[in-house]
Amino acid sequence: CIVPAAVGFCLGFLIIKISDDAPKGNYNEMKKNGTMPEVSAAASFRSGAANINTWILFLQYACCFGVELTMNNAAASYFKSKFELTTESAAAIASIFGWMNLFARGVGGYVSDKANSKMGMRGRLIWQTGLLVVEGCLVFVFSNSNSLAVAIVIMVFFSSIVQSAEGSTYGIVPYVNPPVTGSIAGVVGAGGNLGAVGFGLGFRQLETKQAFYLMGGTIIASGVFTFFVNIKGHAGLISGQDSEEVIAAYKKTAGAAPAQTLQVPEPDVEAAKEIDKAGSEAGSAAEYNEFIGHLQK
């Protein structure tokens, strides 16, 4: 316990000292420059929590990260009881689920970005929906696998889809309401923990197969809720359309500014030169007038 605590403390200290608050810089500097509005924590949370899209993503994150946490606890006992394995063997097989984290979450976010570059927000939502529906279907397949080898292969695909959905979810979060992204990200992240508690209770109160069925059905239902995601300025899954600014941004049209992005103003060198020139000319004129005045005296 001491070593992880020390590592965590040192890492936190380094982050405070050497990292920026955001890609555009530190918040205090951005506020001084006028590029970031002053928003209280309470107002930020209220704004994020009042957005229906926040709670849809909350539910969907419960059905991916919540599922991951549940499987980390339930997979070993499932393999041990169903396939009559030793505790050590069952735990080793179950650990495969976590190993998919090495790449799957990043792949989910990467594909979401690629879909966004082709279709805008609708591309992200299609990818999100597809992942959740496939994830739910794989739960049913996994729970009905009677071969150990097949169950392991299905679990690998299942885990990859689960964690890709996590990356995909956070590919959508920053667009919901950019000025209060932190509050929205916090609410959505809490969904994962709540999902783990809910599904964990299911495995505790129900038979294993019934618990899997409950989990699979809930995941598929959460995917359907993507139809109700409606982000201002962006197309929905089946309705609405992206604004011209958004279309220009994701198609990388020349000269287009990214939509709803806080920009740190760059120094205008040409304007600075003009000001210096004007100041020099004004100073020269004043000296000339003063000289003429002395001559007239």
Side-chain angles (χ1 to χ4, degrees), residues 13-31:
F13 181 78
L14 287 174
I15 290 173
I16 292 173
K17 288 296 183 181
I18 67 176
S19 68
D20 295 329
D21 296 330
K24 298 296 181 181
N26 292 316
Y27 290 156
N28 57 350
E29 295 172 359
M30 295 168 68
K31 289 175 181 178

Side-chain angles (χ1 to χ4, degrees), residues 255-285:
Q260 301 184 50
T261 302
L262 293 175
Q263 297 287 341
V264 177
E266 299 292 338
D268 192 334
V269 177
E270 294 299 325
K273 288 182 179 179
E274 290 294 330
I275 293 172
D276 289 340
K277 183 179 178 181
S280 297
E281 290 177 353
S284 299

